[in-house]
Amino acid sequence: MPRISGMDMLKAVVTDLNELDEGLRGYYVQKDGKFFLNVTPIDGFQLDNTQGLKTALGAERNNVSVLQAQLKPYEGLDAAAARTAIERVTAFGDITPEAAKTAVETAARLSALDPTKEAEQIANTKVETLKGQLQAQWTVRETELTTTVKNLETANNSLTGQLKTLMGDSQIKSEVAKANPLDDARDAVELLVSKFVRTSMKGGNVVVDVIDANGNPRIKDHAGTAFTVADLVAEIRESRAALFKPDEKRGLGTNPNTPSNPPAGGVVNPWAKETRNITQQMVLENTKPELAKQLKAAAGVTD
């Protein structure tokens, strides 16, 4: 057996046997491309790769340090109490601490409320809401009704105006036709009459009035008898005879038995039996009282 000095310690592993004395090479065995010192384990001692053990040991020591740091906040904690707390927290699912805090605050606020006052406040809120809704509905309905009324008033005013015009025109045309105007003068006579005719509504009826140049209603006598369209046409016929066709009857004195002669001008005597015309009588009495007196005398009429 070769001698080994204290300075020539055997290496645990070499990659090349040429590094060793020839007499030592027999103590090594080849494994995984290297040469390991062949040592027989005795009483638990053997040749191992201490680098791997040291790495593993360092990792385990580090894990222990990490676990100790994590367990630090829980020192002195009762395990049973901790388990119960964990079970209770688990029951709340995904509730966050912020949500839990908000819930607790809300519960505290609700607990401090007075049910009576809160019920009254809720009722008042509902009443105010309902009032607002009803007011809005009424405003809409009021607008609709107001628009409808305005439309009806406009239509009524239009129809009333048309009715008044028709009534006035109808009466004017009727009375002018009775007076027998010249064909080409009919429109002029109707226009002249219409200047002194005014229609209005009284008691729901259309009233046709004859007015003077100042717009005041005309009357025929001291009793306040209204001046009619017929009276107006007769007055125009007398003052503007050229616009009318000649009367086929004789003038004053048409009754051959009348002893008196007709007055000048050939005017038809409205007091004569054959040509009696009360309207014309009134016109003459109001406009030409002297002529009226002569015509009454010619017809044998006495007051």
Side-chain angles (χ1 to χ4, degrees):
M1 174 180 235
R3 183 179 62 82
I4 302 174
S5 67
M7 298 298 294
D8 296 326
M9 300 296 293
L10 294 177
K11 296 181 180 180
V13 60
V14 296
T15 58
D16 188 358
L17 289 178
N18 293 323
E19 298 177 4
L20 304 172
D21 292 336
E22 184 176 354
L24 299 175
R25 296 174 184 173
Y27 295 106
Y28 288 83
V29 294
Q30 186 177 8
K31 182 181 179 180
D32 298 329
K34 295 181 181 180
F35 297 93
F36 295 87
L37 181 64
N38 189 12
V39 178
T40 301
I42 296 177
D43 296 332
F45 293 94
Q46 63 183 6
L47 183 64
D48 285 324
N49 185 356
T50 59
Q51 184 63 37
L53 292 174
K54 289 179 180 180
T55 301
L57 180 60
E60 289 300 321
R61 287 176 177 174
N62 183 64
N63 290 337
V64 170
S65 297
V66 172
L67 291 174
Q68 287 178 342
Q70 292 178 345
L71 292 172
K72 189 72 174 177
Y74 300 98
E75 288 182 355
L77 182 64
D78 185 290
R83 187 179 298 108
T84 302
I86 291 174
E87 291 174 353
R88 290 179 179 177
V89 170
T90 304
F92 288 99
D94 297 330
I95 296 179
T96 63
E98 291 76 11
K101 180 180 178 182
T102 300
V104 171
E105 292 175 349
T106 302
R109 180 173 55 82
L110 293 176
S111 299
L113 294 178
D114 185 339
T116 303
K117 293 183 179 179
E118 288 302 312
E120 183 179 353
Q121 183 176 355
I122 292 173
N124 291 336
T125 301
K126 289 183 177 180
V127 170
E128 291 300 322
T129 301
L130 182 59
K131 285 172 61 179
Q133 293 174 349
L134 292 176
Q135 182 61 45
Q137 293 175 3
W138 167 248
T139 300
V140 172
R141 184 58 177 162
E142 183 181 28
T143 301
E144 293 175 351
L145 293 175
T146 300
T147 302
T148 300
V149 170
K150 288 183 178 179
N151 291 338
L152 290 175
E153 289 178 345
T154 300
N156 182 65
N157 292 336
S158 176
L159 292 174
T160 300
Q162 295 177 32
L163 178 61
K164 291 193 296 183
T165 300
L166 288 174
M167 292 292 290
D169 290 348
S170 176
Q171 193 165 342
I172 290 172
K173 289 180 179 295
S174 176
E175 295 300 333
V176 170
K178 292 177 184 179
N180 202 19
L182 296 174
D183 293 339
D184 56 354
R186 181 181 299 272
D187 291 342
V189 174
E190 290 179 355
L191 179 60
L192 182 60
V193 174
S194 66
K195 290 176 61 177
F196 298 98
V197 172
R198 180 177 62 195
T199 57
S200 60
M201 297 295 297
K202 293 182 180 179
N205 298 316
V206 178
V207 177
V208 180
D209 295 317
V210 176
I211 59 176
D212 57 22
N214 296 321
N216 300 314
R218 293 183 60 181
I219 58 176
K220 294 191 293 186
D221 51 38
H222 63 278
T225 305
F227 206 78
T228 65
V229 176
D231 297 332
L232 177 61
V233 173
E235 185 178 76
I236 293 175
R237 190 179 194 283
E238 181 179 352
S239 61
R240 304 192 182 192
L243 299 177
F244 300 84
K245 296 177 182 179
D247 199 322
E248 295 180 355
K249 296 181 179 181
R250 295 176 59 188
L252 294 176
T254 53
N255 184 356
N257 296 325
T258 302
S260 58
N261 295 325
V267 178
V268 176
N269 191 340
W271 281 274
K273 183 177 180 181
E274 300 83 355
T275 57
R276 183 177 179 81
N277 189 320
I278 297 176
T279 299
Q280 188 65 17
Q281 291 175 7
M282 293 180 178
V283 171
L284 291 174
E285 286 182 335
N286 286 309
T287 58
K288 297 181 179 181
E290 291 298 326
L291 177 59
K293 186 182 297 185
Q294 294 180 27
L295 293 174
K296 286 194 289 184
V301 175
T302 59
D303 294 333

